[in-house]
Amino acid sequence: MSETKQQRIKTNGIWLNIAEQGTGPLVLLLHGFPETWFSWRHQITHLASQGYHVVAPDLRGYGGSDSPISPSSYTCMHIVGDLIGLLDHYSEHQAFVVGTDWGAIAGWHMSLFRPDRVKGLVAFNVPYFPRSANAKPIESIRLMFGEGSYVLQFQEPGRAERAFARYDYLTVMKKFLLIKKTNNLVAPPGMEIIDYLETPSILPPWITEEELQVYADTFLESGFTGPLNYYRAMDLNWEYLAPWQGSKITVPTKFIVGDKDIGFETNGTQEYVEGDVFRGLVPNLEVVILDGHHFIHEEKAQDVSNEILSFLRKLSVD
C-alpha cells in the first residue's frame, strides 16, 4: 500500500479524508459499516494497476473525515453532496461508483439524484429497494424483527456506543468484520447486539490480526457515533426521498452479493434480487452471486476485483 496516498479534501462544507492511487478514469470506492477506506486496500492497488484513478474516502463520520454531531447531518442528501464535491474537486464530470453496505446505499442515491455524474455503479450486498409510500423504515423494521434488531438498537443516541465500550476496539472489529451469521441480526430479549455477536478465536485466512488492528486504531480515534448516525437518519431519508417515489435507477449497474450474506436467504433478499421487481427498478442490471459473507470485498478480494474490473472495461468499450 506504499503507493496509496492520503489527503483531506474540502467538500460540501466538511473535510473528507481520502486514499487514492493511480491515474485514468475516476473510480470512487465507498465503504460500509463499520469500515474505512482501508477495506478497499486490495481493490485500490488492483484497479490502479489497470489504469484507473482510484479514490476511496472515509465517508463523513468515519476515520480521518469530519464527524458532525447531529444525526440529521447524515442523510442521503449530505452523503451524495460529499461525493459530488469530490468529483468537482478532481474536475471530473463522471465517475464509476463502487459501494458496499452503506456505501452501496450512497451509490444508489447518487445514481438516483445525479445519474449524469455516474458512469456506472457496482453495488454490494444492499439492493435498491422501492420506497414505501406510507411506512417509515424504523417502524417497518420494528414490526418485522422486533426491538432486538440491531437497527432498532442503534437508534437511541449513546446506547450502542455504551454497549460497544464494554469491549476493546479490536474485539468490536472482530465481532463485526468476521461475522458469519446468515440470519437477520436480532438479539434475544434483554441483550445488546454487540453481546450477541461472537468473537472468533481463529481468524479466517483473508484477514490478519494486524489488518484488524488498523481498523481498531482508527475507531479508537474517531469513535462510533458518526457511523451509527447513518442508522439514526433512516427515517429522515425516507422523508427526503418522497419526490423520487417510484423512480428507477437508469445508470448501468452490477449488483454483487455473497450467498451467505446476512439475511440473504432468510428474509427474501435472494428472491428479490433474482426477481422482476428489482430488475424493473434497475433496468440496466447485472446480478452476480458469489460464495461468501457480508464483507465479501475483503473475503474474496481477487474475485471481487475481477468483477469490478470486467464491469468498468465493458462500460469503457461501450
Side-chain angles (χ1 to χ4, degrees):
M1 299 299 294
S2 59
E3 295 179 42
T4 300
K5 295 179 172 56
Q6 293 186 66
Q7 64 169 312
R8 278 165 58 87
I9 293 173
K10 188 70 175 289
T11 169
N12 196 25
I14 67 169
W15 289 90
L16 288 187
N17 179 62
I18 64 103
E20 65 181 321
Q21 187 175 330
T23 58
L26 180 61
V27 182
L28 291 184
L29 301 180
L30 311 177
H31 65 80
F33 175 91
E35 299 176 287
T36 65
W37 73 264
F38 185 70
S39 73
W40 295 110
R41 58 198 177 280
H42 307 293
Q43 287 77 32
I44 292 172
T45 302
H46 186 72
L47 295 176
S49 73
Q50 299 299 311
Y52 293 91
H53 177 199
V54 187
V55 173
D58 288 335
L59 297 179
R60 67 164 58 203
Y62 284 88
S65 294
D66 285 356
S67 185
I69 296 173
S70 173
S72 63
S73 295
Y74 291 82
T75 71
C76 51
M77 301 294 185
H78 290 86
I79 309 306
V80 172
D82 295 347
L83 301 176
I84 295 297
L86 286 183
L87 267 66
D88 291 346
H89 170 83
Y90 289 108
S91 300
E92 295 282 2
H93 177 64
Q94 285 191 319
F96 295 105
V97 179
V98 180
T100 184
D101 189 75
W102 275 104
I105 294 173
W108 290 122
H109 287 143
M110 189 174 177
S111 301
L112 181 65
F113 301 154
R114 295 301 305 270
D116 58 313
R117 307 299 297 270
V118 182
K119 175 77 170 173
L121 171 66
V122 183
F124 289 85
N125 303 318
V126 181
Y128 178 65
F129 289 109
R131 177 186 182 273
S132 170
N134 47 29
K136 292 185 177 182
I138 300 305
E139 186 57 32
S140 298
I141 291 169
R142 179 178 283 110
L143 291 172
M144 283 190 291
F145 304 117
E147 296 295 335
S149 166
Y150 73 101
V151 175
L152 267 294
Q153 292 195 3
F154 287 176
Q155 292 306 302
E156 178 188 337
R159 175 180 174 177
E161 291 93 326
R162 289 189 296 272
F164 290 8
R166 294 200 296 269
Y167 300 90
D168 63 82
Y169 283 84
L170 181 60
T171 299
V172 173
M173 289 298 104
K174 288 180 177 179
K175 281 175 172 281
F176 277 113
L177 297 181
L178 307 182
I179 193 166
K180 284 195 171 182
K181 293 183 183 296
T182 57
N183 59 329
N184 295 292
L185 296 184
V186 181
M191 180 180 284
E192 295 295 316
I193 199 72
I194 195 69
D195 301 324
Y196 174 62
L197 297 177
E198 300 159 356
T199 308
S201 56
I202 300 174
L203 297 184
W206 51 268
I207 198 164
T208 67
E209 192 89 7
E210 291 74 21
E211 289 171 321
L212 287 164
Q213 191 64 53
V214 171
Y215 286 113
D217 292 344
T218 302
F219 282 99
L220 175 64
E221 292 292 324
S222 65
F224 291 104
T225 297
L228 290 165
N229 278 341
Y230 284 72
Y231 295 91
R232 295 164 186 163
M234 287 173 68
D235 277 354
L236 194 53
N237 279 343
W238 178 83
E239 294 178 16
Y240 286 171
L241 286 165
W244 287 270
Q245 182 75 36
S247 295
K248 297 181 179 182
I249 301 292
T250 58
V251 304
T253 303
K254 176 181 269 192
F255 178 72
I256 302 173
V257 64
D259 62 352
K260 301 174 189 66
D261 193 17
I262 301 159
F264 181 65
E265 290 186 334
T266 56
N267 67 353
T269 304
Q270 181 172 4
E271 290 79 8
Y272 177 72
V273 301
E274 293 178 336
D276 294 334
V277 175
F278 187 32
R279 293 182 183 280
L281 289 166
V282 190
N284 193 351
L285 175 69
E286 176 186 354
V287 173
V288 177
I289 300 174
L290 298 176
D291 173 23
H293 299 79
H294 185 67
F295 298 96
I296 197 163
H297 58 303
E298 295 200 61
E299 181 185 5
K300 295 294 176 68
Q302 191 58 54
D303 291 343
V304 163
S305 294
N306 292 340
E307 289 288 350
I308 296 171
L309 187 60
S310 69
F311 182 72
L312 303 189
R313 285 177 169 167
K314 174 174 175 281
L315 291 183
S316 298
V317 171
D318 293 346

